[in-house]
Amino acid sequence: PEVVAVSIATRADCLNDDVLYYLSELSSRTSLTVELGLQTVHDITAVKINRGHTFSEFCEGYNSLKTYGIRTVVHIIDGLPGEGSDMMLKTAEVLGKMQPDGIKIHLLHVIRGTALEHIYDMGGYIPLEKEEYVDIVVGQLELLPQETVIERITGDGDKRKLIAPLWSTDKISVLGAIDKLQAQRESYQGKRFIL
């Protein structure tokens, strides 16, 4: 009785009929949010990062949750290997048209002990610069509907294990830079959103 809300993070390809029925029943008893890790709409990138399912499979799971009326939040990651700003903006544009209840925008971090650290050390991955990230996020926000709650706009890597980008440790500076660029461009969430 003390539980006021439940948030469950899962993969879109794990939402079989039994799971969906249970989630539907749970959402009738409490405030439920299901978070799905999309990361990118581009299947070529999904293969590189071993996401393990296609964008089409993501859409099936996402649409099933929406059919049941379950509040859904989607995670995306900026700075994935091989993606330019045009691809990251396309992810936001496509996702915006799906009108999720919430979105969490992350920056890819190079973390000690991961495969990405090795790729980075060999010169095979270059993280986004702060200015690039800020520019992309401002552009993505313009493509997302105003009704979608932006639940995260940058994440925190474990500072003890973070290899790059080190500028991401100053979250206040990142948020301030986003605000400043929005003001300079007269930009706001939903400015370029088209259903």
Side-chain angles (χ1 to χ4, degrees), residues 107-164:
L107 167 67
L108 185 63
H109 294 113
V110 180
I111 302 296
R112 184 173 290 110
T114 63
L116 185 59
E117 177 192 17
H118 177 70
I119 295 167
Y120 173 77
D121 287 343
M122 301 299 290
Y125 175 71
I126 300 172
L128 291 174
E129 296 292 336
K130 177 181 170 184
E131 295 75 20
E132 292 176 294
Y133 181 73
V134 167
D135 181 63
I136 290 163
V137 168
V138 169
Q140 287 175 322
L141 292 173
E142 289 184 352
L143 295 166
L144 298 172
Q146 291 183 349
E147 298 77 21
T148 297
V149 178
I150 307 302
E151 295 193 3
R152 178 173 295 138
I153 209 158
T154 184
D156 298 316
D158 182 341
K159 291 179 183 176
R160 296 166 298 163
K161 297 180 181 178
L162 181 67
I163 303 294

Short mmCIF file of all heavy atoms in Angstrom, two decimals, residues 107-164:
data_model
loop_
_atom_site.label_atom_id
_atom_site.label_comp_id
_atom_site.label_asym_id
_atom_site.label_seq_id
_atom_site.Cartn_x
_atom_site.Cartn_y
_atom_site.Cartn_z
N LEU A 107 24.40 10.91 -23.41
CA LEU A 107 25.65 11.07 -24.15
C LEU A 107 26.43 9.77 -23.98
O LEU A 107 26.52 9.24 -22.87
CB LEU A 107 26.46 12.24 -23.57
CG LEU A 107 27.91 12.36 -24.03
CD1 LEU A 107 27.99 12.70 -25.51
CD2 LEU A 107 28.63 13.42 -23.18
N LEU A 108 27.01 9.27 -25.07
CA LEU A 108 27.82 8.05 -24.96
C LEU A 108 29.10 8.36 -24.20
O LEU A 108 29.83 9.29 -24.54
CB LEU A 108 28.14 7.50 -26.35
CG LEU A 108 28.89 6.17 -26.34
CD1 LEU A 108 28.06 5.06 -25.70
CD2 LEU A 108 29.31 5.78 -27.75
N HIS A 109 29.35 7.57 -23.18
CA HIS A 109 30.57 7.69 -22.39
C HIS A 109 31.50 6.52 -22.67
O HIS A 109 31.04 5.39 -22.83
CB HIS A 109 30.24 7.67 -20.88
CG HIS A 109 29.45 8.84 -20.43
ND1 HIS A 109 28.15 8.75 -19.99
CD2 HIS A 109 29.78 10.16 -20.33
CE1 HIS A 109 27.72 9.94 -19.65
NE2 HIS A 109 28.69 10.81 -19.84
N VAL A 110 32.78 6.81 -22.73
CA VAL A 110 33.79 5.75 -22.81
C VAL A 110 34.14 5.39 -21.37
O VAL A 110 34.65 6.23 -20.61
CB VAL A 110 35.05 6.22 -23.57
CG1 VAL A 110 36.08 5.08 -23.63
CG2 VAL A 110 34.68 6.71 -24.97
N ILE A 111 33.83 4.16 -21.00
CA ILE A 111 34.02 3.70 -19.61
C ILE A 111 35.15 2.68 -19.55
O ILE A 111 35.25 1.79 -20.41
CB ILE A 111 32.70 3.07 -19.07
CG1 ILE A 111 31.55 4.08 -19.16
CG2 ILE A 111 32.88 2.54 -17.66
CD1 ILE A 111 31.70 5.30 -18.29
N ARG A 112 35.99 2.81 -18.54
CA ARG A 112 37.12 1.91 -18.34
C ARG A 112 36.64 0.45 -18.28
O ARG A 112 35.64 0.14 -17.64
CB ARG A 112 37.85 2.26 -17.05
CG ARG A 112 39.11 1.44 -16.80
CD ARG A 112 39.91 1.95 -15.60
NE ARG A 112 40.52 3.24 -15.92
CZ ARG A 112 40.14 4.41 -15.39
NH1 ARG A 112 39.17 4.45 -14.50
NH2 ARG A 112 40.73 5.53 -15.73
N GLY A 113 37.33 -0.41 -18.98
CA GLY A 113 37.04 -1.85 -18.95
C GLY A 113 36.02 -2.31 -19.98
O GLY A 113 35.62 -3.46 -19.97
N THR A 114 35.60 -1.42 -20.88
CA THR A 114 34.62 -1.79 -21.90
C THR A 114 35.29 -1.96 -23.25
O THR A 114 36.43 -1.52 -23.47
CB THR A 114 33.53 -0.71 -22.03
OG1 THR A 114 34.13 0.52 -22.48
CG2 THR A 114 32.81 -0.48 -20.69
N ALA A 115 34.57 -2.60 -24.17
CA ALA A 115 35.07 -2.75 -25.55
C ALA A 115 35.29 -1.37 -26.18
O ALA A 115 36.24 -1.17 -26.95
CB ALA A 115 34.10 -3.58 -26.38
N LEU A 116 34.42 -0.41 -25.84
CA LEU A 116 34.56 0.93 -26.41
C LEU A 116 35.86 1.59 -25.96
O LEU A 116 36.46 2.34 -26.74
CB LEU A 116 33.35 1.80 -26.03
CG LEU A 116 33.31 3.19 -26.66
CD1 LEU A 116 33.31 3.12 -28.19
CD2 LEU A 116 32.09 3.96 -26.17
N GLU A 117 36.31 1.30 -24.76
CA GLU A 117 37.59 1.86 -24.31
C GLU A 117 38.71 1.41 -25.23
O GLU A 117 39.57 2.21 -25.64
CB GLU A 117 37.91 1.46 -22.87
CG GLU A 117 39.26 1.99 -22.41
CD GLU A 117 39.76 1.39 -21.11
OE1 GLU A 117 39.25 0.33 -20.67
OE2 GLU A 117 40.69 1.99 -20.53
N HIS A 118 38.70 0.15 -25.60
CA HIS A 118 39.75 -0.39 -26.48
C HIS A 118 39.67 0.29 -27.86
O HIS A 118 40.70 0.69 -28.42
CB HIS A 118 39.60 -1.91 -26.62
CG HIS A 118 40.58 -2.52 -27.55
ND1 HIS A 118 41.93 -2.62 -27.26
CD2 HIS A 118 40.42 -3.03 -28.79
CE1 HIS A 118 42.55 -3.16 -28.28
NE2 HIS A 118 41.66 -3.43 -29.23
N ILE A 119 38.47 0.42 -28.38
CA ILE A 119 38.28 1.07 -29.68
C ILE A 119 38.77 2.52 -29.62
O ILE A 119 39.46 3.01 -30.52
CB ILE A 119 36.81 1.00 -30.12
CG1 ILE A 119 36.41 -0.46 -30.36
CG2 ILE A 119 36.54 1.84 -31.36
CD1 ILE A 119 34.91 -0.69 -30.49
N TYR A 120 38.44 3.20 -28.53
CA TYR A 120 38.86 4.59 -28.31
C TYR A 120 40.38 4.69 -28.24
O TYR A 120 40.99 5.56 -28.87
CB TYR A 120 38.21 5.10 -27.02
CG TYR A 120 38.67 6.46 -26.55
CD1 TYR A 120 38.22 7.62 -27.16
CD2 TYR A 120 39.55 6.57 -25.47
CE1 TYR A 120 38.64 8.87 -26.72
CE2 TYR A 120 39.96 7.81 -25.02
CZ TYR A 120 39.51 8.95 -25.65
OH TYR A 120 39.92 10.19 -25.21
N ASP A 121 41.00 3.79 -27.48
CA ASP A 121 42.46 3.79 -27.34
C ASP A 121 43.17 3.57 -28.67
O ASP A 121 44.26 4.10 -28.90
CB ASP A 121 42.91 2.71 -26.35
CG ASP A 121 42.60 3.07 -24.91
OD1 ASP A 121 42.34 4.26 -24.62
OD2 ASP A 121 42.61 2.15 -24.06
N MET A 122 42.54 2.81 -29.57
CA MET A 122 43.11 2.53 -30.89
C MET A 122 42.80 3.63 -31.91
O MET A 122 43.19 3.54 -33.07
CB MET A 122 42.60 1.18 -31.41
CG MET A 122 42.92 0.00 -30.50
SD MET A 122 44.68 -0.26 -30.27
CE MET A 122 45.15 -0.82 -31.88
N GLY A 123 42.08 4.66 -31.46
CA GLY A 123 41.74 5.76 -32.35
C GLY A 123 40.53 5.51 -33.22
O GLY A 123 40.24 6.26 -34.15
N GLY A 124 39.76 4.46 -32.90
CA GLY A 124 38.60 4.10 -33.70
C GLY A 124 37.30 4.76 -33.27
O GLY A 124 36.26 4.53 -33.91
N TYR A 125 37.34 5.53 -32.20
CA TYR A 125 36.14 6.25 -31.76
C TYR A 125 36.54 7.60 -31.21
O TYR A 125 37.44 7.71 -30.37
CB TYR A 125 35.37 5.47 -30.68
CG TYR A 125 34.21 6.27 -30.14
CD1 TYR A 125 33.09 6.50 -30.92
CD2 TYR A 125 34.26 6.85 -28.87
CE1 TYR A 125 32.03 7.27 -30.45
CE2 TYR A 125 33.20 7.62 -28.40
CZ TYR A 125 32.10 7.82 -29.19
OH TYR A 125 31.05 8.59 -28.74
N ILE A 126 35.87 8.64 -31.69
CA ILE A 126 36.10 10.00 -31.21
C ILE A 126 34.80 10.49 -30.57
O ILE A 126 33.78 10.61 -31.26
CB ILE A 126 36.52 10.94 -32.36
CG1 ILE A 126 37.81 10.43 -32.99
CG2 ILE A 126 36.68 12.37 -31.85
CD1 ILE A 126 38.21 11.15 -34.26
N PRO A 127 34.80 10.75 -29.27
CA PRO A 127 33.59 11.23 -28.59
C PRO A 127 33.19 12.62 -29.08
O PRO A 127 34.01 13.37 -29.61
CB PRO A 127 33.99 11.28 -27.11
CG PRO A 127 35.27 10.56 -26.99
CD PRO A 127 35.92 10.60 -28.34
N LEU A 128 31.93 12.94 -28.87
CA LEU A 128 31.45 14.28 -29.21
C LEU A 128 32.13 15.32 -28.34
O LEU A 128 32.38 15.10 -27.15
CB LEU A 128 29.94 14.37 -28.98
CG LEU A 128 29.04 13.58 -29.92
CD1 LEU A 128 27.58 13.67 -29.46
CD2 LEU A 128 29.18 14.05 -31.35
N GLU A 129 32.40 16.48 -28.94
CA GLU A 129 32.83 17.64 -28.16
C GLU A 129 31.59 18.25 -27.52
O GLU A 129 30.47 18.06 -27.99
CB GLU A 129 33.52 18.66 -29.07
CG GLU A 129 34.81 18.17 -29.70
CD GLU A 129 35.93 17.96 -28.69
OE1 GLU A 129 35.89 18.59 -27.61
OE2 GLU A 129 36.83 17.16 -28.97
N LYS A 130 31.80 19.01 -26.47
CA LYS A 130 30.68 19.62 -25.76
C LYS A 130 29.81 20.46 -26.69
O LYS A 130 28.59 20.36 -26.66
CB LYS A 130 31.21 20.48 -24.60
CG LYS A 130 30.12 21.21 -23.82
CD LYS A 130 30.75 22.04 -22.72
CE LYS A 130 29.76 22.96 -22.07
NZ LYS A 130 30.39 23.84 -21.07
N GLU A 131 30.45 21.28 -27.53
CA GLU A 131 29.70 22.15 -28.43
C GLU A 131 28.85 21.34 -29.41
O GLU A 131 27.73 21.72 -29.75
CB GLU A 131 30.65 23.09 -29.19
CG GLU A 131 31.39 24.07 -28.31
CD GLU A 131 32.53 23.44 -27.49
OE1 GLU A 131 33.02 22.33 -27.85
OE2 GLU A 131 32.92 24.04 -26.46
N GLU A 132 29.39 20.22 -29.88
CA GLU A 132 28.64 19.35 -30.80
C GLU A 132 27.41 18.77 -30.10
O GLU A 132 26.31 18.77 -30.64
CB GLU A 132 29.50 18.18 -31.27
CG GLU A 132 30.65 18.53 -32.18
CD GLU A 132 31.48 17.30 -32.49
OE1 GLU A 132 32.12 16.74 -31.57
OE2 GLU A 132 31.48 16.89 -33.67
N TYR A 133 27.62 18.27 -28.88
CA TYR A 133 26.53 17.67 -28.13
C TYR A 133 25.42 18.69 -27.87
O TYR A 133 24.24 18.41 -28.08
CB TYR A 133 27.04 17.09 -26.81
CG TYR A 133 25.96 16.42 -25.99
CD1 TYR A 133 25.44 15.20 -26.37
CD2 TYR A 133 25.45 17.03 -24.85
CE1 TYR A 133 24.43 14.59 -25.64
CE2 TYR A 133 24.45 16.43 -24.11
CZ TYR A 133 23.95 15.20 -24.50
OH TYR A 133 22.95 14.59 -23.78
N VAL A 134 25.80 19.86 -27.44
CA VAL A 134 24.83 20.92 -27.14
C VAL A 134 24.04 21.27 -28.39
O VAL A 134 22.81 21.38 -28.36
CB VAL A 134 25.54 22.16 -26.54
CG1 VAL A 134 24.62 23.37 -26.51
CG2 VAL A 134 26.07 21.84 -25.14
N ASP A 135 24.73 21.42 -29.52
CA ASP A 135 24.07 21.75 -30.78
C ASP A 135 23.08 20.65 -31.18
O ASP A 135 21.95 20.94 -31.61
CB ASP A 135 25.13 21.93 -31.88
CG ASP A 135 24.52 22.30 -33.21
OD1 ASP A 135 23.91 23.37 -33.32
OD2 ASP A 135 24.65 21.49 -34.16
N ILE A 136 23.47 19.40 -31.03
CA ILE A 136 22.60 18.28 -31.40
C ILE A 136 21.38 18.22 -30.48
O ILE A 136 20.25 18.07 -30.95
CB ILE A 136 23.40 16.95 -31.35
CG1 ILE A 136 24.41 16.92 -32.50
CG2 ILE A 136 22.47 15.74 -31.41
CD1 ILE A 136 25.51 15.89 -32.34
N VAL A 137 21.59 18.36 -29.19
CA VAL A 137 20.47 18.30 -28.24
C VAL A 137 19.46 19.42 -28.52
O VAL A 137 18.25 19.18 -28.54
CB VAL A 137 20.96 18.34 -26.78
CG1 VAL A 137 19.80 18.57 -25.81
CG2 VAL A 137 21.68 17.05 -26.43
N VAL A 138 19.95 20.62 -28.76
CA VAL A 138 19.04 21.73 -29.06
C VAL A 138 18.22 21.41 -30.32
O VAL A 138 17.01 21.63 -30.36
CB VAL A 138 19.81 23.06 -29.19
CG1 VAL A 138 18.93 24.16 -29.76
CG2 VAL A 138 20.36 23.48 -27.82
N GLY A 139 18.88 20.86 -31.33
CA GLY A 139 18.18 20.45 -32.54
C GLY A 139 17.18 19.34 -32.29
O GLY A 139 16.06 19.34 -32.84
N GLN A 140 17.55 18.37 -31.47
CA GLN A 140 16.64 17.27 -31.15
C GLN A 140 15.40 17.77 -30.41
O GLN A 140 14.29 17.34 -30.70
CB GLN A 140 17.36 16.21 -30.32
CG GLN A 140 18.37 15.40 -31.12
CD GLN A 140 19.17 14.45 -30.25
OE1 GLN A 140 19.55 14.77 -29.12
NE2 GLN A 140 19.44 13.27 -30.78
N LEU A 141 15.61 18.66 -29.47
CA LEU A 141 14.47 19.19 -28.71
C LEU A 141 13.46 19.87 -29.63
O LEU A 141 12.25 19.77 -29.43
CB LEU A 141 14.94 20.15 -27.63
CG LEU A 141 15.73 19.52 -26.48
CD1 LEU A 141 16.29 20.60 -25.55
CD2 LEU A 141 14.88 18.53 -25.70
N GLU A 142 13.95 20.55 -30.66
CA GLU A 142 13.05 21.21 -31.60
C GLU A 142 12.17 20.20 -32.35
O GLU A 142 11.07 20.53 -32.77
CB GLU A 142 13.85 22.04 -32.61
CG GLU A 142 14.48 23.27 -32.02
CD GLU A 142 15.19 24.12 -33.07
OE1 GLU A 142 15.32 23.68 -34.23
OE2 GLU A 142 15.60 25.24 -32.72
N LEU A 143 12.66 18.98 -32.50
CA LEU A 143 11.95 17.94 -33.26
C LEU A 143 11.01 17.11 -32.40
O LEU A 143 10.28 16.26 -32.94
CB LEU A 143 12.97 17.03 -33.95
CG LEU A 143 13.83 17.71 -35.02
CD1 LEU A 143 15.02 16.83 -35.39
CD2 LEU A 143 13.00 18.06 -36.24
N LEU A 144 11.02 17.33 -31.10
CA LEU A 144 10.20 16.54 -30.19
C LEU A 144 8.95 17.32 -29.78
O LEU A 144 9.02 18.53 -29.55
CB LEU A 144 11.01 16.17 -28.94
CG LEU A 144 12.25 15.31 -29.21
CD1 LEU A 144 13.09 15.17 -27.95
CD2 LEU A 144 11.84 13.94 -29.75
N PRO A 145 7.82 16.64 -29.68
CA PRO A 145 6.59 17.34 -29.32
C PRO A 145 6.68 17.96 -27.93
O PRO A 145 7.32 17.42 -27.03
CB PRO A 145 5.51 16.26 -29.37
CG PRO A 145 6.23 14.96 -29.37
CD PRO A 145 7.61 15.20 -29.87
N GLN A 146 6.02 19.09 -27.77
CA GLN A 146 6.05 19.79 -26.49
C GLN A 146 5.45 18.95 -25.37
O GLN A 146 5.81 19.12 -24.21
CB GLN A 146 5.32 21.12 -26.60
CG GLN A 146 6.04 22.13 -27.45
CD GLN A 146 5.33 23.48 -27.50
OE1 GLN A 146 4.19 23.62 -27.06
NE2 GLN A 146 6.00 24.48 -28.04
N GLU A 147 4.53 18.06 -25.69
CA GLU A 147 3.86 17.25 -24.67
C GLU A 147 4.77 16.15 -24.11
O GLU A 147 4.50 15.60 -23.05
CB GLU A 147 2.60 16.60 -25.26
CG GLU A 147 1.56 17.58 -25.74
CD GLU A 147 1.89 18.23 -27.08
OE1 GLU A 147 2.70 17.68 -27.85
OE2 GLU A 147 1.33 19.31 -27.34
N THR A 148 5.83 15.80 -24.83
CA THR A 148 6.75 14.76 -24.37
C THR A 148 7.64 15.32 -23.27
O THR A 148 8.29 16.35 -23.45
CB THR A 148 7.61 14.24 -25.54
OG1 THR A 148 6.76 13.63 -26.51
CG2 THR A 148 8.63 13.21 -25.05
N VAL A 149 7.66 14.65 -22.13
CA VAL A 149 8.47 15.09 -21.00
C VAL A 149 9.93 14.69 -21.26
O VAL A 149 10.22 13.52 -21.52
CB VAL A 149 7.98 14.46 -19.68
CG1 VAL A 149 8.87 14.88 -18.51
CG2 VAL A 149 6.53 14.84 -19.42
N ILE A 150 10.83 15.66 -21.19
CA ILE A 150 12.26 15.36 -21.31
C ILE A 150 12.75 15.04 -19.91
O ILE A 150 12.92 15.92 -19.07
CB ILE A 150 13.03 16.56 -21.92
CG1 ILE A 150 12.40 17.02 -23.22
CG2 ILE A 150 14.50 16.19 -22.11
CD1 ILE A 150 12.29 15.97 -24.31
N GLU A 151 12.94 13.75 -19.65
CA GLU A 151 13.27 13.32 -18.29
C GLU A 151 14.77 13.35 -18.01
O GLU A 151 15.19 13.32 -16.86
CB GLU A 151 12.71 11.92 -18.05
CG GLU A 151 11.19 11.91 -18.08
CD GLU A 151 10.59 10.64 -17.53
OE1 GLU A 151 11.33 9.75 -17.04
OE2 GLU A 151 9.35 10.53 -17.56
N ARG A 152 15.56 13.38 -19.06
CA ARG A 152 17.01 13.51 -18.89
C ARG A 152 17.54 14.15 -20.15
O ARG A 152 17.11 13.84 -21.25
CB ARG A 152 17.66 12.14 -18.67
CG ARG A 152 19.17 12.21 -18.52
CD ARG A 152 19.79 10.87 -18.14
NE ARG A 152 19.33 10.49 -16.83
CZ ARG A 152 18.97 9.24 -16.50
NH1 ARG A 152 19.02 8.28 -17.38
NH2 ARG A 152 18.57 8.96 -15.28
N ILE A 153 18.53 15.01 -19.97
CA ILE A 153 19.10 15.70 -21.13
C ILE A 153 20.60 15.45 -21.22
O ILE A 153 21.23 15.74 -22.21
CB ILE A 153 18.75 17.20 -21.07
CG1 ILE A 153 18.68 17.78 -22.46
CG2 ILE A 153 19.67 17.96 -20.18
CD1 ILE A 153 17.87 19.04 -22.53
N THR A 154 21.15 14.89 -20.18
CA THR A 154 22.54 14.43 -20.18
C THR A 154 22.69 13.50 -18.98
O THR A 154 22.03 13.69 -17.97
CB THR A 154 23.55 15.58 -20.14
OG1 THR A 154 24.87 15.05 -20.23
CG2 THR A 154 23.42 16.41 -18.88
N GLY A 155 23.53 12.51 -19.13
CA GLY A 155 23.71 11.54 -18.04
C GLY A 155 25.06 11.73 -17.37
O GLY A 155 25.91 12.48 -17.83
N ASP A 156 25.22 11.05 -16.26
CA ASP A 156 26.48 11.10 -15.51
C ASP A 156 27.19 9.76 -15.63
O ASP A 156 26.62 8.73 -15.26
CB ASP A 156 26.21 11.38 -14.02
CG ASP A 156 25.56 12.72 -13.80
OD1 ASP A 156 26.01 13.69 -14.43
OD2 ASP A 156 24.61 12.80 -13.01
N GLY A 157 28.41 9.79 -16.15
CA GLY A 157 29.24 8.59 -16.12
C GLY A 157 29.92 8.48 -14.76
O GLY A 157 30.16 9.50 -14.11
N ASP A 158 30.20 7.25 -14.34
CA ASP A 158 30.92 7.04 -13.08
C ASP A 158 32.30 7.70 -13.22
O ASP A 158 33.13 7.27 -14.01
CB ASP A 158 31.06 5.54 -12.81
CG ASP A 158 31.75 5.23 -11.50
OD1 ASP A 158 32.44 6.10 -10.94
OD2 ASP A 158 31.60 4.08 -11.04
N LYS A 159 32.53 8.78 -12.46
CA LYS A 159 33.76 9.56 -12.60
C LYS A 159 35.01 8.72 -12.33
O LYS A 159 36.09 9.03 -12.84
CB LYS A 159 33.72 10.78 -11.68
CG LYS A 159 32.70 11.80 -12.12
CD LYS A 159 32.63 12.99 -11.19
CE LYS A 159 31.52 13.93 -11.65
NZ LYS A 159 31.31 15.04 -10.77
N ARG A 160 34.89 7.66 -11.55
CA ARG A 160 36.04 6.81 -11.27
C ARG A 160 36.41 5.95 -12.47
O ARG A 160 37.54 5.48 -12.58
CB ARG A 160 35.76 5.90 -10.07
CG ARG A 160 35.56 6.68 -8.76
CD ARG A 160 34.96 5.81 -7.70
NE ARG A 160 33.64 5.35 -8.16
CZ ARG A 160 32.98 4.33 -7.64
NH1 ARG A 160 33.48 3.64 -6.65
NH2 ARG A 160 31.79 3.99 -8.10
N LYS A 161 35.45 5.73 -13.38
CA LYS A 161 35.69 4.86 -14.53
C LYS A 161 35.59 5.59 -15.87
O LYS A 161 35.83 5.00 -16.92
CB LYS A 161 34.67 3.71 -14.52
CG LYS A 161 34.79 2.80 -13.31
CD LYS A 161 33.76 1.70 -13.36
CE LYS A 161 33.87 0.81 -12.13
NZ LYS A 161 32.84 -0.25 -12.15
N LEU A 162 35.21 6.86 -15.84
CA LEU A 162 35.02 7.62 -17.07
C LEU A 162 36.36 7.93 -17.74
O LEU A 162 37.24 8.51 -17.13
CB LEU A 162 34.27 8.92 -16.79
CG LEU A 162 33.99 9.81 -17.99
CD1 LEU A 162 33.00 9.13 -18.94
CD2 LEU A 162 33.45 11.17 -17.54
N ILE A 163 36.48 7.54 -18.99
CA ILE A 163 37.68 7.83 -19.79
C ILE A 163 37.44 9.10 -20.62
O ILE A 163 38.29 9.97 -20.71
CB ILE A 163 38.00 6.65 -20.74
CG1 ILE A 163 38.21 5.35 -19.96
CG2 ILE A 163 39.19 6.97 -21.62
CD1 ILE A 163 39.40 5.31 -19.06
N ALA A 164 36.27 9.18 -21.25
CA ALA A 164 35.95 10.33 -22.10
C ALA A 164 34.45 10.34 -22.37
O ALA A 164 33.79 9.31 -22.25
CB ALA A 164 36.72 10.22 -23.43
#
